[in-house]
């Protein structure tokens, strides 16, 4: 208190026109805001200014931190690298690009030499802001670069799909003597644009001893799988004992994505036996494998594991896809109705699933519900809607959605949309309009488009147009066995056996082989396959006897084998006998013999179901009071009470 009294006297004695004595400044210092007289005006004490700046940076108070930074810049004061890194993180969190550039300018001003650590933080900021040019300019300015600097740039180029740049920087990194680590290789592996690069990188990884790293192994497996090199992926996986779920997920996902569901599920079983617990990624891949193989019962078992996790959108969408593609819309609807969150994939999966299972009207109603929900349709959604219209003969609806998809949803018609419209018009017998649409397409018609037209020509027996379409396909794909078979089928239906023989000669000359019809069914967790002309199944004799008895009973109900689906020039009973052992008939009878009455018989088939087998399944479902589901490459057929869900329009 005595000191304060003395200060008051000094202040009172001081002239307002003269500067305060140094003693007064010295006495005032403990009680002031650290204001001192420097030059022409009052300024903050440097140590306090830095302390305030540091506090603002750690508190993520960006405006006050930038104000303090401005004062520091004016007086050539710098803080430590850690404090600047906190400020840069704050700029990142706020999306403050301009403020980040000010920090960059400050730490490079007046001869200040920032540490490599701080420059790496700044480099990361530019990458996160997608300012790759600025990042590259900073990278060039850096007096020293370490593996973090190189890896940051390589990862940035990989994420931006600048694959050549990422590989170029890896080469420069190696030339500069910097040693890549697991993060470097994990990043650059994403930039592999082909197998040669991948194999060279793999050799480099082995030389550095990083092939045992979990993330590098996982990235290698993912890349080999991406290029369809599944055996190489499996070799990487089998090289050493796998002690991490990430690597298991990579190899299972690789086989599932490449439509090798058998091996994916075998690996899944190996993983479980090794003591690993499946996570969401594992289950998603396993469900995809079940989807490809149409293994409904195994898919249901996986569903039990899914329930152990909280509501997961990706997993629920995988479940929806599995149930739809296994022909169990009841289960799919159950999952869909319980989903708390639904995205455009959820809605699209259900719309397409309903359309493919023959419930086109329900698919269109669901599409309306989707629009009401506020979810915006995407490219795939509209494709599902057009598919629904095509397989229900809803020509007007299909044309409306096709013509207005750009205006209503901002989606430009793609090749697949045109293909659906060609299918829609072709099925409805509007072949001239279908041909006109093909010629009006914004895209060059591919083999799939012409195959669609060829299929319509077969249904409506337009011989001339069929030959024209077939020639267009064979120009694009001379080895397409399906086109030869379909053309042969058309000739056979018109009794043009010489033309059939010519088609077969052409196939032999070009070494094109017809894929044999194959159907398979799951019974007691085992897959039983039946192939036309193959009598190796252990129960084939019993199946044949049962099939013969069923045929005679069906004939009493009015069944007449449709010999239009016989492709050989046979006579009388020979034609009927050739139809008798179609693979789907054998699979259906096997299912009836081994499944209880209340169980649905579910068949998967590699070729389009023929008209005779379609009639057979309808009548058998009615006579035996059975539910039969057949999935072919195009769609699903649900047979019940003598009716098929496709309405005989497939």
């Amino acid at each position: 208190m005595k000191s304060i009294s003395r200060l008051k006297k000094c202040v009172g004695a001081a002239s307002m026109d003269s500067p305060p004595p140094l003693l007064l400044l010295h006495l005032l210092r403990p009680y002031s805001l650290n204001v001192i007289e420097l030059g022409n005006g009052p300024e903050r004490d440097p140590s306090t200014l830095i302390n305030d700046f540091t506090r603002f940076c750690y508190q993520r108070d960006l405006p006050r931190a930038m104000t303090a930074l401005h004062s520091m810049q004016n007086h050539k004061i710098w803080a430590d690298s850690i404090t600047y890194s906190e400020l840069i993180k704050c700029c990142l969190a706020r999306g403050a690009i301009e403020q980040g550039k000010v920090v960059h300018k400050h730490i490079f001003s007046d001869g200040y030499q920032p540490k490599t650590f701080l420059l790496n933080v700044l480099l990361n900021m530019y990458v996160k802001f997608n300012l790759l040019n600025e990042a590259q300019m900073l990278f060039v300015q850096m007096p020293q670069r370490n593996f973090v600097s190189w890896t940051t740039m390589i990862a940035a180029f990989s994420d931006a799909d600048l694959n050549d740049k990422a590989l170029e920087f890896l080469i420069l990194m190696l030339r500069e003597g910097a040693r890549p680590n697991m993060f470097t290789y994990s990043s650059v592996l994403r930039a592999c644009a082909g197998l040669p690069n991948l194999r060279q990188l793999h050799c480099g990884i082995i030389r550095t001893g990083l092939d045992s790293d979990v993330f590098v192994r996982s990235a290698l497996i993912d890349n080999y799988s991406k290029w369809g090199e599944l055996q190489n992926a499996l070799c990487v996986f089998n090289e050493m004992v796998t002690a991490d779920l990430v690597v298991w997920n990579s190899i299972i996902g690789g086989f599932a994505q490449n439509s090798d569901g058998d091996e994916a599920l075998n690996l899944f079983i190996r993983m479980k036996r090794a003591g690993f617990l499946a996570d969401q990624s594992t289950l998603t891949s396993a469900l995809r494998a079940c989807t490809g193989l149409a293994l409904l019962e195994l898919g249901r078992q996986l569903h039990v594991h899914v329930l152990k996790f909280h509501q997961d959108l990706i997993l629920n969408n995988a479940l929806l896809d599995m149930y739809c593609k296994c022909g169990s819309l009841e289960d799919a609807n159950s999952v869909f109705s319980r989903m708390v969150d639904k995205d455009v994939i959820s809605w699209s999966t259900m719309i397409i699933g309903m359309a493919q299972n023959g419930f086109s009207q329900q698919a269109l109603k669901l599409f309306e519900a989707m629009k009401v929900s506020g979810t915006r349709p995407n490219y795939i959604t509209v494709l599902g809607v057009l598919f629904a219209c095509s397989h229900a003969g809803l020509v007007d609806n299909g044309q409306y959605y096709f013509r207005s998809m750009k205006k209503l949803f901002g989606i430009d018609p793609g090749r697949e949309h045109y293909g659906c419209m060609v299918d829609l018009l072709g099925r409805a017998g509007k072949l001239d309009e279908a041909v006109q649409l093909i010629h009006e397409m914004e895209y060059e018609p591919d083999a799939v488009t012409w195959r669609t037209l060829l299929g319509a020509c077969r249904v409506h027996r337009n011989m001339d147009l069929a030959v024209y379409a077939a020639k267009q396909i064979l120009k694009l794909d001379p080895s397409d066995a399906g086109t030869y078979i379909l053309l042969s089928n058309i000739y056979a239906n018109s009794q043009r056996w010489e033309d059939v023989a010519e088609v077969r000669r052409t196939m032999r000359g070009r070494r094109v082989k017809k894929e044999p019809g194959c159907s398979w069914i799951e019974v007691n967790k085992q897959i039983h396959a039946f192939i036309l002309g193959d009598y190796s199944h252990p129960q084939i004799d019993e199946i044949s006897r049962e099939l013969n008895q069923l045929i005679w009973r069906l004939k009493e109900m009015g069944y007449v084998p449709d010999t239009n689906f016989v492709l050989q020039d046979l006579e009388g009973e020979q034609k009927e006998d050739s139809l008798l052992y179609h693979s789907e008939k054998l699979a259906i009878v096997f299912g009836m013999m081994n499944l209880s009455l209340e169980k649905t018989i579910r068949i998967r088939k590699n070729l389009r179901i023929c008209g005779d087998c379609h009639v057979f399944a309808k009548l058998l479902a009615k006579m035996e009071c059975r539910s039969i589901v057949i999935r072919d490459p195009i769609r699903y057929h649900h047979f019940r009470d003598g009716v098929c869900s496709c309405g005989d329009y497939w």
Side-chain angles (χ1 to χ4, degrees), residues 187-206:
S187 298
V188 80
L189 279 168
R190 297 199 307 271
C192 280
L195 282 172
N197 286 339
L198 177 57
R199 292 190 177 112
Q200 289 176 12
L201 284 171
H202 193 175
C203 291
I205 289 166
I206 293 171

Side-chain angles (χ1 to χ4, degrees), residues 356-518:
Q356 288 182 325
N357 279 276
F359 303 102
S360 294
Q361 294 291 354
Q362 292 91 322
L364 295 179
K365 288 179 181 177
L366 191 63
F367 179 58
E368 294 302 319
M370 174 185 179
K371 291 189 289 184
V372 170
S373 75
T375 306
R376 188 174 181 81
N378 65 6
Y379 187 98
I380 301 298
T381 317
V382 179
L383 194 61
V385 170
L386 294 178
F387 186 93
C389 295
S390 171
H391 285 259
L394 303 173
V395 177
D396 292 340
N397 299 66
Q399 289 181 325
Y400 166 74
Y401 286 120
F402 179 74
R403 290 169 182 164
S404 57
M405 58 188 288
K406 173 66 175 177
K407 180 180 178 181
L408 293 177
F409 314 118
I411 301 168
D412 292 312
R415 193 188 302 276
E416 293 86 354
H417 298 110
Y418 279 101
C420 268
M421 288 305 298
V422 171
D423 189 41
L424 172 65
L425 295 169
R427 288 172 183 275
K430 299 177 180 291
L431 297 178
D432 292 338
E433 292 182 39
V435 173
Q436 183 180 349
L437 182 63
I438 290 175
H439 292 306
E440 291 175 354
M441 284 173 60
E442 297 179 9
Y443 309 88
E444 193 66 28
D446 59 3
V448 175
T449 306
W450 289 113
R451 279 192 207 103
T452 302
L453 181 63
L454 179 59
C457 292
R458 182 192 64 80
V459 173
H460 297 287
R461 302 185 180 231
N462 188 321
M463 183 68 63
D464 294 335
L465 188 54
V467 173
Y468 171 72
K471 288 180 178 178
Q472 299 304 314
I473 297 167
L474 296 177
K475 283 180 186 176
L476 297 167
D477 187 3
S479 61
D480 179 36
T483 297
Y484 291 106
I485 299 305
L486 202 50
L487 188 58
S488 175
N489 197 356
I490 292 169
Y491 285 139
N493 288 339
S494 300
Q495 307 292 309
R496 292 172 56 172
W497 301 115
E498 290 184 5
D499 290 321
V500 171
E502 178 61 31
V503 170
R504 296 305 173 93
R505 278 194 296 271
T506 305
M507 290 178 68
R508 286 193 297 271
R510 294 181 178 178
R511 297 183 179 180
V512 177
K513 292 185 178 180
K514 175 184 180 295
E515 182 181 7
C518 178

Side-chain angles (χ1 to χ4, degrees), residues 544-584:
S544 298
R545 284 195 295 270
E546 181 68 21
L547 178 56
N548 277 306
Q549 292 176 12
L550 289 170
I551 291 288
W552 283 111
R553 289 174 59 196
L554 288 172
K555 284 183 176 180
E556 292 176 357
M557 292 178 59
Y559 167 61
V560 177
D562 189 347
T563 55
N564 285 324
F565 294 92
V566 179
L567 302 185
Q568 292 81 22
D569 187 8
L570 302 175
E571 297 294 335
E573 293 182 358
Q574 288 181 308
K575 288 188 175 183
E576 293 188 13
D577 289 343
S578 68
L579 289 171
L580 183 61
Y581 294 103
H582 278 193
S583 62
E584 55 265 56

Side-chain angles (χ1 to χ4, degrees), residues 279-350:
D279 64 4
Q280 287 96 326
S281 178
T282 326
L283 291 171
T284 301
S285 296
L287 284 169
R288 180 176 291 179
C290 292
T291 301
L293 297 171
L295 299 178
L296 179 62
E297 293 307 317
L298 183 56
R300 282 175 172 155
Q301 292 176 38
L302 290 171
H303 191 171
V304 175
H305 291 282
V306 172
L307 295 175
K308 297 175 184 177
F309 296 92
H310 293 295
Q311 285 277 338
D312 183 280
L313 184 59
I314 295 175
L315 263 180
N316 280 334
N317 285 341
L319 273 174
L320 282 180
D321 192 44
M322 184 272 296
Y323 280 130
C324 285
K325 289 182 178 173
C326 287
S328 181
L329 280 186
E330 299 86 356
D331 289 313
N333 273 317
S334 176
V335 172
F336 187 76
S337 62
R338 290 200 308 269
M339 287 174 65
V340 177
D341 297 315
K342 300 182 181 77
D343 63 1
V344 66
I345 296 174
S346 318
W347 288 97
S348 300
T349 300
M350 281 301 297

Side-chain angles (χ1 to χ4, degrees), residues 202 217 221 224 229-240 251 255:
H202 193 175
R217 286 183 71 200
I221 291 169
Y224 278 122
E229 295 283 321
L230 293 179
Q231 288 310 308
N232 283 330
L234 197 57
C235 285
V236 173
F237 176 78
N238 287 329
E239 277 173 358
M240 59 193 71
I251 192 66
F255 277 92

